[in-house]
DNA sequence: TGTTCGTCCATA
DNA sequence: ATGGACGAACAT
């Protein structure tokens, strides 16, 4: 038998191998096999059986071994991986490797139960040990001849392929977008979870597992569902994770996980909850994907319901709600409560410090012993490069940090990611002269507060210290006033009540958030309000009425307007975006590569979808970046043909362009 | 003409 | 991913 195998390597190529006599029945779609490629051992996945007649290759090697008893990703989950491979232009071998990564090593957790007389000598042995002693082939033969069963050590349940190929598919599943405040969401989830657990079904709760937010949620539900709650994060100890893996197969649990757990098996008739889908981070190791997209697709391929809960959902999910892919329920209560809103600006002479008017507000709050918050999108104090005419900051396209200037080389560069921007001597927006001004960040505000208001408690809240801050806030003396200063991490506060919330420079988010800028502004504001329900909201902007905050307070009108803007400029959700990055140390050779790629795109008649390239310097390298707008079906062949070119990176749905 | 270093290429 | 082929740049 000849099989096609996808190696778990970053290549779109697949390879043919011969299967040793007698092994045929041990192999199915996506069985992991050991192969040799360029004479070196590599793990691959069986894709299909090939017709031996049509094959003229003289040098087909045999596979070197079988790595699992049966395919660990099968049925609808296998379909999901195939879909993701295409949707994200990632070789199927890489997707499968990633999707399995959490539960790769099942054999040390399985015990053999003999079910026939001639396998009695294996009874009770650990599978990994038995394989070491008897060879894998022998054990496989017992398993496929029904001489043994495999029992995991946590549940006592028989370990079998989970795929239930094509019985009930997801067309009738529930996909619900639940728009509501934090407290409502928790109650709603709890009710859904309770019902499912009662029916011995699983719930998977996906959330951004960073900055201590995961622990916060875990504690809430752990109190309620006790030993029915399992942690499946990457930080969890290996045997704890394996315990969750096997218990999930049994059913009746609430499993907490981050983005990689969307591929967890055992979710049949279960529920996937995505809390704050707008904050779910994209995975970056090897296989880049957005877990919310995978969750949605999973509900189409498998018998699984999906609930997205948020106060400010991703705009593409809102759009899907309008199209009927999602049922949309709006249960917000708190937004009907009116906040007082005060809009002001910071005079240009007072930009590097807390302006007089901001200080007035703070002093009033201190006098009243209030707990108040200050939000600023910038973490650190620094000097920004600005344009003298339009006053826009010049920021790094890659990471959004403000640019620094190297006088000797006459080049702007980003300290954070090393990109140099050539020929930038005038403002890219309006052509004005560039000047330098200090800006306010969490650090500098904290410093100034500490020196201006000695004796007042000041807490800083950034990505790095959120966990500590949350703990400190719990211990804080209740009737004493305090000031919490924070960046984006301030949106992670869930049950803090603030009398006043001061936003400094909130309107400058667009400078580094690309086409999703307004959406991010909206989501930041809404999550801040949801987490801290302030009595008075202050907007201190760098220019008078730079933005009208009232446009960002009504969910429906904001999304309608933003969708119209996206539609007319052709941006997601009305098209998909892809970036192609070409990196090369020499400019001449790099340009050759760029031309090669452009001509490949032109050959397919797709040049209309192409924009760029934009040239950048990056740590001594030259880098070119293209953007392509269009659907995968149209673009897949081109992507496949350029994927294997060295130094070329394709990114699907790049977040800030 | 030999040596070293870095880029390209194919993997069954 | 990665080892070997290949070719440019350098030294002898």
């Amino acid at each position: 038998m000849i099989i096609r195998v996808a190696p778990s390597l970053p290549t779109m190529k697949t390879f043919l191998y011969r299967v040793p006599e007698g092994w045929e029945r041990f192999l199915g779609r996506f069985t992991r096999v050991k192969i040799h490629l360029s004479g070196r051992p590599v793990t691959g996945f069986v894709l299909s059986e090939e017709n031996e007649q049509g094959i003229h290759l003289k040098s087909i090697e045999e596979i070197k071994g079988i790595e699992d008893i049966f395919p660990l990703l099968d049925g609808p989950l296998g379909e999901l991986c195939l879909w993701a491979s295409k949707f994200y232009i990632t070789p199927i071998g890489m997707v499968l490797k990633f999707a399995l990564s959490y539960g790769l090593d099942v054999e040390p957790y399985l015990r053999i139960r003999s079910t026939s007389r001639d396998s009695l000598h294996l009874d009770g042995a650990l599978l990994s040990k038995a394989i070491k002693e008897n060879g894998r082939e022998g054990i496989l033969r017992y398993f496929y001849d029904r001489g043994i069963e495999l029992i995991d050590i946590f549940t006592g349940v028989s370990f079998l392929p989970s795929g239930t190929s094509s019985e009930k598919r997801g067309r009738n599943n529930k996909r619900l977008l639940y728009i509501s405040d934090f407290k409502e969401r928790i109650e709603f989830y709890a009710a859904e979870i309770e019902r499912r657990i009662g029916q011995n079904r699983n719930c998977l709760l996906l959330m951004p597992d960073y900055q201590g937010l995961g622990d916060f949620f875990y504690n809430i539900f752990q109190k309620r569902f006790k030993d029915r709650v399992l942690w499946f994060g990457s930080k969890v100890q290996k045997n704890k994770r394996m315990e969750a893996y096997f218990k999930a197969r049994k059913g009746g649990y609430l499993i907490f996980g981050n983005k990689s757990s969307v591929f967890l098996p055992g979710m049949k008739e279960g529920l996937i909850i995505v809390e704050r889908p707008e904050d779910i981070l994209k995975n970056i190791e090897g296989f880049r994907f957005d877990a919310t997209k995978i969750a949605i697709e999973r509900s189409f391929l498998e018998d699984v319901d999906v609930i997205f809960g948020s106060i400010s959902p991703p705009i593409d999910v809102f759009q899907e709600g309008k199209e009927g892919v999602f049922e949309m329920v709006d249960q917000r209560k708190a937004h009907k409560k009116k906040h007082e809103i005060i809009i002001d600006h910071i005079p240009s002479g007072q930009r590097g410090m807390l302006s007089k008017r901001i200080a007035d507000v703070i002093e009033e709050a201190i006098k009243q012993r209030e707990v108040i918050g200050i939000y600023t999108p910038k973490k650190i104090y620094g000097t920004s490069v600005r344009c003298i005419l339009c006053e826009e900051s010049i920021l790094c396209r890659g990471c959004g940090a403000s640019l620094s200037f190297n006088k000797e080389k006459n080049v702007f560069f980003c300290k954070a990611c090393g990109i140099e921007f050539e020929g930038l001597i005038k403002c890219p927006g309006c052509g004005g002269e560039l000047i330098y001004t200090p800006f306010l960040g969490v650090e500098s505000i904290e410093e100034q507060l500490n020196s201006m208001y000695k004796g007042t408690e000041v807490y800083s809240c950034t990505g790095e210290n959120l966990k500590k801050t949350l703990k400190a806030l719990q211990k804080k003396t209740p009737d004493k006033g305090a000031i919490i200063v924070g960046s984006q991490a301030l949106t992670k506060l869930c049950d803090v009540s603030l009398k006043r919330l001061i936003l400094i420079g909130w309107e400058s988010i667009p400078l580094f958030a690309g086409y999703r800028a307004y959406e991010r502004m909206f989501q930041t504001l809404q999550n801040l309000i949801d987490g801290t329900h302030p009595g008075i909201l202050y907007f201190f902007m760098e220019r008078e009425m730079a933005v009208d905050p009232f446009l960002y307070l009504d969910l429906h009108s904001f999304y309608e307007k933003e969708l119209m803007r996206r539609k007319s400029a052709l941006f997601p959700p009305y098209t998909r975006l892809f970036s192609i990055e070409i990196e090369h140390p020499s400019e001449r050779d790099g340009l050759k590569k760029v031309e090669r790629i452009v001509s490949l795109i032109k050959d397919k008649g797709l040049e209309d979808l192409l924009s760029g390239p934009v040239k950048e310097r990056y740590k001594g390298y030259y880098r070119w970046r293209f953007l392509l707008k269009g659907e995968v079906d149209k673009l897949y062949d081109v992507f496949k043909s350029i994927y294997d070119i060295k130094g070329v990176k394709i990114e699907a749905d790049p977040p800030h362009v």
Side-chain angles (χ1 to χ4, degrees), chain A residues 111-125:
Chain A
R111 231 173 248 292
I112 292 173
R113 180 196 285 159
S114 163
T115 53
S116 76
R117 206 177 306 155
D118 46 334
S119 66
L120 273 175
H121 62 292
L122 293 168
D123 197 55

Side-chain angles (χ1 to χ4, degrees), chain A residues 268-339:
Chain A
K268 194 169 174 259
E269 296 183 336
L271 169 69
I272 300 176
I273 299 170
V274 185
E275 158 65 10
R276 271 206 229 180
E278 70 272 28
D279 277 358
I280 291 269
L281 293 183
K282 284 188 86 174
N283 184 58
I284 40 163
E285 317 118 45
F287 165 34
R288 290 178 168 256
F289 67 92
D290 171 350
T292 64
K293 294 271 189 302
I294 307 265
I296 296 170
E297 187 60 23
R298 190 165 176 180
S299 80
F300 280 110
L301 294 171
E302 196 180 355
D303 191 9
V304 168
D305 292 340
V306 173
I307 295 173
F308 282 14
S310 169
I311 190 77
S312 55
I315 201 162
D316 31 353
V317 179
F318 181 85
Q319 166 71 4
E320 284 180 310
K322 285 175 63 190
E323 286 171 354
V325 176
F326 269 82
E327 180 193 341
M328 203 160 19
V329 172
D330 188 343
Q331 291 287 342
R332 288 171 302 152
K333 287 193 180 135
H335 81 292
K336 286 173 192 132
K337 206 177 75 188
K338 284 273 177 287
H339 333 270

Side-chain angles (χ1 to χ4, degrees), chain A residues 207 212-226 229 231 256 471 474:
Chain A
M207 76 217 132
L213 200 70
D215 293 331
F216 179 83
F217 268 85
Y218 180 80
N219 290 336
I220 292 178
F221 287 99
Q222 223 259 323
K223 270 185 205 129
R224 234 150 155 157
F225 300 110
K226 307 274 184 314
V229 183
W231 239 136
F256 277 85
K471 265 196 194 137
Q474 275 171 356

Side-chain angles (χ1 to χ4, degrees), chain A residues 24 40 63 88 187 189 232 254 304 339 369 470 503 511 523 528 559 574 592 612 615 650:
Chain A
E24 294 86 351
R40 288 172 303 106
I63 57 167
Y88 287 114
E187 284 314 308
Y189 298 163
F232 200 62
L254 167 62
V304 168
H339 333 270
R369 294 170 171 252
L470 286 175
L503 299 109
L511 295 174
Q523 286 160 349
L528 280 171
Y559 278 108
Y574 298 98
K592 263 190 225 162
K615 190 176 94 178
I650 300 163

Side-chain angles (χ1 to χ4, degrees), chain A residues 486-506:
Chain A
S487 57
Q488 207 59 24
L490 209 60
T491 64
K492 306 293 178 292
L493 297 180
C494 293
D495 56 353
V496 179
S497 216
L498 299 177
K499 277 270 164 15
R500 302 165 203 254
L501 178 61
I502 303 170
L503 299 109
I504 302 174
W506 160 78

Side-chain angles (χ1 to χ4, degrees), chain A residues 155-167:
Chain A
T155 70
V157 170
S158 180
F159 190 62
L160 288 165
S162 56
T164 42
S165 54
S166 60
E167 29 182 282

